[in-house]
Amino acid sequence: MAGCEGEAPPPAAPRASAAPRTSLVLYVTDTLRADRLSAYGFEKPTSPRLEEFAREAILFEDAWAVAPWTRPAVAALLTGVRPAGAAGVNFDPGLHDGYLTLAEALRAAGFRTGAVVANHVVNERVGFSQGFEAWNDGPSTAYGSDAGDVVERGLRFVDGVGDQPFFLYLHTMEPHHPHQPSAAAQRLFSLPAEARPRGRRAVERLDILYQGELWDNDQAFGALVDGLRARGHLQRALVVFTADHGEEFLDHGGKGHGHKLYQELLRIPLAVRLPGGVGASRSREPVSQVDLFPSLLSLLGVAAPESDGRDLAARWLGRATPETAEVEFVAETRLGKAEKEAIRVGNLKLIVNLDHGRTPSSRRGGARLELYDLDRDPREQENLAARRQATVARLEERLRVLRSSVRDDVPRLSPEWQPGDLEELRALGYVE
């Protein structure tokens, strides 16, 4: 795979600056829905360190994940390509090295590149180490490590880069199932004493455990910011806090993630701190995961190849105004038996259940088409599809056009399954 230890670096990406000096730190939290963070208005103090960070950052109130599980979402983050084009739409495909990744583009432009990733779903064997000179470097694997250890390993990488610009990608597992918050977090969030509740009480208990892990992860992120500041890197670094996808707690009759496309799974946090903390604000402009690839490269002075994302760097720097035309946002999942697509234009969101008739019906009767007005109905409780058929037809046609435009000149990477792969996916809740 391109860019792994001991191999030649990937072909150089076009550069817009001869000597970029700003570094990039990308902190991805697994399974984090925005509305459980106090930084986004949640009533419990789940993210005090993120709130501090956000005072010097652009906090996006409407960030959109392109998939409800890790592999396709991270592929989109690293390539700017939607899941249908890049990777990970089901269990087998990986990220083929025909796609230029963020790490490859930055390494070719003179950046040191390192990653510490706790989620084994995105690993070297399925192509995600492309462009990283150091991937989970250390005496033992980082898969399954807690967020504090991920941050410590990441700061050790920073200590070894000297004066060179660097790209550091950190991926923490908290608050992914199984939820095991620290004792301090359990005390703070008053975990119910009932050890084995059932039904709704069991899910409510999971939610509280989840909130405790959010706090643990937030403390680790704060330690990262403190570590960067103490080393003199924070003021000249571009630091991004985000998530791959969200999590459901009976919002639409189930729990977990991967198999639906509702907002509890697609609305994620995103905070971008520009060097020096300039331009800090709260932005209501919708933004997609695929927009990060071209925008971050542009901010770092490295020209990005064509992708599905928009270069928003000029807007973030205050040099351009938001678009007046409505932008289309797309999400999808093809995981096990689930096969769904969604498109959002403005406040309207259409979900197409391509698996209609093949999976257990939802509490709405298992409709094939679901249309929601996110302004009036942010929790997606009222399906408007039957009443607004012309809108449904227009959005469904746009999905068809977008599907037909998917890049197909890069083959899928389908690595052979190794012993333990299925057990690991089952442990994470993706398969039964």
Side-chain angles (χ1 to χ4, degrees):
M1 297 173 191
C4 292
E5 189 71 36
E7 296 185 11
R15 291 174 56 181
S17 173
R21 304 310 305 169
T22 300
S23 294
L24 170 64
V25 179
L26 175 62
Y27 190 97
V28 178
T29 301
D30 213 290
T31 319
L32 176 51
R33 54 188 284 176
D35 66 1
R36 287 300 189 273
L37 293 171
S38 51
Y40 283 84
F42 191 60
E43 63 271 15
K44 296 181 183 179
T46 51
S47 58
R49 297 306 307 270
L50 178 61
E51 291 175 59
E52 294 175 12
F53 176 80
R55 286 195 282 270
E56 296 183 338
I58 306 171
L59 185 73
F60 294 87
E61 297 181 354
D62 193 2
W64 171 271
V66 297
W69 75 290
T70 300
R71 191 176 291 169
V74 173
L77 276 171
L78 296 181
T79 66
V81 179
R82 296 193 306 268
V89 291
N90 215 312
F91 295 122
D92 288 341
L95 180 56
H96 195 276
D97 63 10
Y99 291 99
L100 182 74
T101 68
L102 194 57
E104 287 177 309
L106 292 176
R107 189 174 180 187
F111 285 65
R112 302 289 300 276
T113 56
V116 185
V117 177
N119 192 336
H120 64 267
V121 169
V122 285
N123 59 50
E124 310 96 314
R125 192 168 54 81
V126 292
F128 284 84
S129 63
Q130 295 173 48
F132 289 103
E133 60 184 275
W135 177 275
N136 283 0
D137 213 13
S140 61
T141 179
Y143 299 127
S145 295
D146 63 39
D149 183 52
V150 169
V151 167
E152 288 181 13
R153 289 172 182 249
L155 290 174
R156 286 202 296 270
F157 169 80
V158 171
D159 289 337
V161 301
D163 293 330
Q164 292 180 265
F166 61 87
F167 168 38
L168 175 63
Y169 160 44
L170 302 180
H171 190 134
T172 61
M173 275 296 280
E174 296 95 334
H176 197 294
H177 174 83
H179 308 305
Q180 298 173 325
S182 66
Q186 291 188 39
R187 289 192 299 270
L188 183 62
F189 292 92
S190 303
L191 183 68
E194 189 177 0
R196 293 186 178 180
R198 295 188 177 186
R200 179 171 289 276
R201 290 200 311 276
V203 179
E204 290 172 350
R205 184 176 188 274
L206 278 179
D207 197 347
I208 295 174
L209 289 170
Y210 178 88
Q211 294 165 30
E213 285 206 336
L214 290 184
W215 185 84
D216 287 333
N217 182 77
D218 183 74
Q219 297 301 297
F221 178 68
L224 171 67
V225 174
D226 292 344
L228 292 171
R229 180 180 287 112
R231 289 162 172 80
H233 288 294
L234 185 62
Q235 288 303 94
R236 61 176 187 267
L238 176 61
V239 183
V240 179
F241 178 98
T242 191
D244 51 359
H245 56 79
E247 181 83 330
E248 181 186 4
F249 294 103
L250 295 182
D251 303 76
H252 288 88
K255 60 183 180 179
H257 58 269
H259 305 93
K260 300 177 184 178
L261 294 176
Y262 299 112
Q263 290 300 92
E264 58 268 19
L265 298 170
L266 298 185
R267 185 181 175 227
I268 55 172
L270 175 63
V272 177
R273 186 188 187 278
L274 300 175
V278 301
S281 61
R282 293 185 76 100
S283 173
R284 299 186 63 184
E285 181 185 8
V287 61
S288 171
Q289 281 173 330
V290 292
D291 297 331
L292 284 174
F293 175 79
S295 301
L296 295 177
L297 287 176
S298 181
L299 288 168
L300 294 168
V302 178
E306 183 178 352
S307 72
D308 293 325
R310 300 169 297 156
D311 181 355
L312 303 176
R315 267 179 259 173
W316 298 352
L317 292 168
R319 299 171 185 167
T321 57
E323 297 175 1
T324 56
E326 291 183 322
V327 180
E328 298 170 334
F329 293 91
V330 179
E332 61 192 291
T333 187
R334 289 169 176 78
L335 186 63
K337 295 179 181 179
E339 187 177 2
K340 303 174 188 295
E341 296 176 339
I343 184 170
R344 172 186 166 187
V345 180
N347 62 312
L348 294 175
K349 174 183 172 185
L350 177 70
I351 299 174
V352 180
N353 296 302
L354 300 170
D355 53 12
H356 185 251
R358 304 201 304 265
T359 58
S361 61
S362 69
R363 64 180 181 176
R364 288 184 178 75
R368 189 182 77 84
L369 299 169
E370 301 175 59
L371 180 69
Y372 299 102
D373 183 333
L374 296 180
D375 285 349
R376 296 178 53 193
D377 179 26
R379 296 180 59 201
E380 297 163 296
Q381 300 296 304
E382 183 182 8
N383 184 1
L384 304 174
R387 281 177 277 165
R388 302 186 63 173
Q389 295 183 27
T391 299
V392 168
R394 174 172 58 85
L395 293 177
E396 198 171 12
E397 173 62 16
R398 285 303 304 155
L399 267 178
R400 187 194 67 77
V401 171
L402 290 169
R403 195 184 308 123
S404 67
S405 68
V406 169
R407 178 179 173 184
D408 59 4
D409 60 320
V410 176
R412 297 282 182 179
L413 175 64
S414 298
E416 294 182 4
W417 283 53
Q418 300 294 315
D421 283 354
L422 190 59
E423 288 74 15
E424 289 176 341
L425 287 168
R426 184 175 291 114
L428 292 176
Y430 290 127
V431 295
E432 297 179 355

